[in-house]
Amino acid sequence: SCGSDSLICSIGYMQMKPNFASHIERCIQKYPDLEERYGMLNQQGNDFTFDQRRDRIKRLKTLDFQIQYLSAFIDYAVKRYHLSDKDTEYQLRILSTAYNAGLSYSEKDLMDITKVKAFPNGTNVKGSLWNYSDLTVQFYNYVANGFSFD
């Protein structure tokens, strides 16, 4: 319906919410290099009108735009958390946790969250068997090793 309740629905392969996309649009404005690189996302994060919400949802329904939002998220988070000089596993843990939990957390809080088994059903739920950042690192290692668990 593209009403204000549409901001919390998850869309597409990457399950992005429109309010995540509008937040990323606002974040990239803090860095001129990101604002220039992601000009196609430069919507100022506005979601006050039906048209703004509809247009963002249309963008999120395409894989190309989801990749752009994810790339912008990664570039912004690397700057925000000063990750460029950190090892790959640390970067993956912070980035995946921030993607899953949100960018409002401090780096220390994100590291604390990486220790919680809350995937896929949330914290303190019997069906939550995994830690999101552990899964991310395991998948990265699987791909980096040529799709082999050796």
Side-chain angles (χ1 to χ4, degrees), residues 74-137:
I74 291 169
D75 284 347
Y76 172 76
V78 165
K79 287 178 179 286
R80 182 188 182 324
Y81 297 113
H82 309 285
L83 298 176
S84 60
D85 62 339
K86 304 288 174 58
D87 68 77
T88 301
E89 182 175 322
Y90 185 84
Q91 288 185 33
L92 287 170
R93 288 190 182 282
I94 294 297
L95 291 171
S96 63
T97 303
Y99 185 76
N100 191 259
L103 286 164
S104 62
Y105 292 96
S106 69
E107 187 175 347
K108 182 196 176 307
D109 289 341
L110 290 173
M111 279 310 292
D112 289 343
I113 294 169
T114 67
K115 297 171 180 74
V116 177
K117 291 184 178 182
F119 188 77
N121 301 316
T123 57
N124 301 320
V125 177
K126 187 177 181 180
S128 292
L129 306 173
W130 303 287
N131 173 283
Y132 195 75
S133 70
D134 284 346
L135 291 173
T136 302
V137 170

Side-chain angles (χ1 to χ4, degrees), residues 3-20:
S4 58
D5 59 332
S6 69
L7 300 175
I8 59 171
C9 63
S10 294
I11 300 172
Y13 291 113
M14 296 180 205
Q15 291 295 283
M16 290 181 178
K17 293 177 171 54
N19 60 357
F20 166 82

Side-chain angles (χ1 to χ4, degrees), residues 21-29 41 43 45 56 59 69:
S22 62
H23 183 70
I24 295 303
E25 292 168 11
R26 289 188 300 275
C27 287
I28 62 175
Q29 291 179 338
L41 304 180
Q43 308 297 317
R56 185 167 293 109
R59 286 191 302 276
Y69 278 110

